[in-house]
Amino acid sequence: MSRLPLVTVVTICRNNKLQLKKTITSVKSQDYQAIDYLIIDGASTDGTKELLSATTGIRWISEPDDGIYNAMNKGIRMTKGEWVIFMNAGDTFASHDVISKVFRKDHYADVIYGDVIKGKTIKRAEPPHNSHRMYFCHQSAFVSTICLKEFPFDENHKMSADFKQMKQLYLAKKKFLRLDFPIAVFDTTGVSNAHRSKGLYDNILVVCEIDNWKEKLKLLPRLLFTYWMCKLRGA
């Protein structure tokens, strides 16, 4: 490889100072030499801005936003890198050399993704396919900036804009590359984990919106079954 591609790590946060510190430490511990670190804060009032002001080697803004995906779209517009990975406050890289392992050689791909660690379990990413759900976490995916600008997050989907984006990229025949090792340790206290049925309902809306009728017949029964089971459990 003649040079290292610049990777922008985007962290979005709001009033989550302690978790943000954990993510900053993880990003700064990476041994990769071409990282652009960008933090999008939603006008926190818990000392986050003071933390950001005192932290070197980062770019940041702190201002009101219209939700998670609005903040992530700000990150896309502000990115300097050829690749972007979204690591929300509380998420960490699986090891200090993750980014180096990903970009130790050239990849002819638009989305590079791997496994994720949840709790003490490694959740394996699946091979690329058109699915009824995310089969990898956005915290474990490096996406070409060109693709992100072509397909930004749809802010009408409050829970599943990342699912819609990856489905759009797949249906647009972008190249997905799966790597067989963990990329990130996922913070399980996030919105999607706390409101499971709402996330599933938003997935249903995404499938109805962009899949053809054959794919709808294949994907919707699985989603609807899981959705109603979650509703019955009160999840």
Side-chain angles (χ1 to χ4, degrees):
M1 181 181 290
S2 58
R3 68 172 185 84
L4 297 174
L6 182 63
V7 176
T8 294
V9 180
V10 178
T11 295
I12 65 167
C13 60
R14 185 174 186 275
N15 290 333
N16 203 359
K17 179 182 175 182
L18 293 179
Q19 293 291 78
L20 176 61
K21 287 180 71 173
K22 183 169 71 171
T23 304
I24 290 173
T25 299
S26 176
V27 174
K28 284 183 164 289
S29 74
Q30 288 294 296
D31 63 6
Y32 191 74
Q33 298 302 307
I35 294 178
D36 165 45
Y37 192 19
L38 172 62
I39 299 176
I40 310 293
D41 174 55
S44 291
T45 57
D46 66 342
T48 291
K49 286 187 281 189
E50 290 75 12
L51 169 65
L52 296 175
S53 295
T55 304
T56 59
I58 64 172
R59 294 189 295 130
W60 62 277
I61 61 170
S62 182
E63 62 185 21
D65 57 52
D66 292 324
I68 293 171
Y69 294 114
N70 177 256
M72 292 170 80
N73 278 334
K74 286 183 187 179
I76 293 172
R77 292 192 293 271
M78 293 177 65
T79 185
K80 294 181 178 179
E82 299 155 65
W83 295 89
V84 177
I85 182 169
F86 290 94
M87 301 286 290
N88 298 342
D91 299 325
T92 58
F93 284 105
S95 64
H96 73 281
D97 60 347
V98 164
I99 302 181
S100 294
K101 286 169 66 177
V102 171
F103 293 103
R104 64 174 45 155
K105 61 182 180 179
D106 291 320
H107 295 298
Y108 298 98
D110 300 296
V111 180
I112 304 169
Y113 67 99
D115 303 332
V116 68
I117 300 172
K118 290 187 174 184
K120 297 181 179 180
T121 303
I122 297 178
K123 188 175 173 112
R124 299 292 181 187
E126 299 173 13
H129 63 286
N130 187 34
S131 181
H132 63 292
R133 57 175 172 77
M134 286 286 285
Y135 48 89
F136 57 89
C137 290
H138 70 239
Q139 292 89 339
S140 67
F142 298 84
V143 186
S144 156
T145 301
I146 293 173
C147 287
L148 288 174
K149 290 185 175 180
E150 183 179 358
F151 294 100
F153 296 103
D154 182 348
E155 296 173 28
N156 292 312
H157 290 281
K158 302 303 183 184
M159 306 289 290
S160 300
D162 52 349
F163 170 59
K164 178 178 179 179
Q165 181 190 70
M166 290 304 159
K167 185 181 278 285
Q168 287 175 311
L169 291 171
Y170 182 83
L171 294 174
K173 301 191 182 304
K174 304 299 184 183
K175 182 172 176 53
F176 284 65
L177 174 66
R178 179 180 62 145
L179 301 179
D180 191 25
F181 57 84
I183 302 294
V185 180
F186 178 63
D187 175 26
T188 56
T189 63
V191 172
S192 61
N193 284 279
H195 303 283
R196 178 69 174 146
S197 62
K198 290 182 180 179
L200 287 166
Y201 183 74
D202 209 12
N203 279 17
I204 291 169
L205 296 180
V206 169
V207 170
C208 289
E209 181 181 342
I210 67 174
D211 277 302
N212 63 38
W213 68 270
K214 287 185 178 179
E215 290 297 299
K216 287 185 178 72
L217 288 176
K218 180 173 71 174
L219 302 177
L220 285 176
R222 304 179 194 180
L223 269 173
L224 289 166
F225 174 79
T226 308
Y227 169 73
W228 284 113
M229 291 299 294
C230 282
K231 290 288 285 185
L232 288 172
R233 294 196 303 267

